């Protein structure tokens, strides 16, 4: 595989690339119903930050999004100083290249830029170890989301 780069999604083409990765990973691979994969927070004017990893030839490889402010409140216990990382996905062929770690880092950077003190996420239970290695701590009981076991996790942000 050639090299890749990471950027904050800018404009309709980048957003569509993010959605294509999510469709490949969540809808096709994990069988999440398409009607619940996309939501109002994906709208261009929702204030959501989407990050995108692309191969040097432009093929999208991974994505994730940051919710902040009122958009994140129902996911963070109403704490407006906490962002919500979600929809993190890396295509099957791109796994193991460090893209997931880079996406999480970019989302955390975006949270810091917005003055947030922590990031919450709802991790698929099989991915707990990945997030724990990045400093996230699980809390609460396991629950089902789209028929997949999840746990809530949080990481305090430094500086």
């Amino acid at each position: 595989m050639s090299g890749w780069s990471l950027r904050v999604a800018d404009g309709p083409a980048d957003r569509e690339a993010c959605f294509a990765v999510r469709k490949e990973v969540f809808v096709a691979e994990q069988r999440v119903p398409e009607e619940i994969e996309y939501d109002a927070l994906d709208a261009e004017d929702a204030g959501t930050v989407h990050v995108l990893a692309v191969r040097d030839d432009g093929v999208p490889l991974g994505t994730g999004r940051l919710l902040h402010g009122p958009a994140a409140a129902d996911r963070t216990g109403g704490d407006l100083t906490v962002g919500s990382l979600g929809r993190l996905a890396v295509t099957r062929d791109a796994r193991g290249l460090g893209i997931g770690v880079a996406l999480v880092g970019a989302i955390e950077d975006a949270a810091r830029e917005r003055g947030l003190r922590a990031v919450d996420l709802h991790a698929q239970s099989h991915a707990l170890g990945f997030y724990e290695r990045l400093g996230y701590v699980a809390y609460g009981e396991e629950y089902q989301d789209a028929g997949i076991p999840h746990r809530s996790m949080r990481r305090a942000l430094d500086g």
Side-chain angles (χ1 to χ4, degrees):
M1 177 177 286
S2 61
W4 57 274
S5 61
L6 189 73
R7 64 179 180 257
V8 171
D10 183 30
D14 277 359
R15 294 173 74 76
E16 287 305 316
C18 292
F19 301 153
V21 170
R22 287 168 46 186
K23 185 170 188 172
E24 179 179 335
V25 173
F26 296 128
V27 177
E29 187 178 324
Q30 296 183 357
R31 305 212 185 287
V32 171
E34 193 164 0
E35 60 273 11
I36 66 171
E37 172 52 31
Y38 307 101
D39 58 28
L41 298 170
D42 287 324
E44 195 165 348
D45 61 354
T48 302
V49 179
H50 293 263
V51 292
L52 175 65
V54 294
R55 203 165 61 196
D56 288 346
D57 63 2
V59 173
L61 301 174
T63 189
R65 76 178 187 186
L66 171 69
L67 306 179
H68 56 92
D74 69 330
R75 292 166 171 83
T76 64
D79 187 341
L80 298 182
T81 68
V82 179
S84 178
L85 183 161
R87 303 306 203 265
L88 188 76
V90 176
T91 60
R92 185 183 308 266
D93 292 343
R95 293 178 193 150
L97 300 176
I99 292 171
V101 171
L103 288 165
V104 171
I107 291 168
E108 291 173 350
D109 288 345
R112 283 185 196 91
E113 290 168 9
R114 286 155 180 79
L116 301 177
R117 63 172 183 77
V119 173
D120 268 15
L121 58 85
H122 298 164
Q124 293 182 4
S125 294
H126 72 83
L128 286 172
F130 168 79
Y131 290 111
E132 287 169 343
R133 286 188 295 278
L134 297 177
Y136 286 81
V137 177
Y139 65 89
E141 299 296 319
E142 186 175 78
Y143 56 91
Q144 296 288 315
D145 186 3
I148 301 168
H150 283 69
R151 290 278 308 275
S152 295
M153 302 186 85
R154 178 173 286 189
R155 178 174 187 254
L157 298 176
D158 51 0

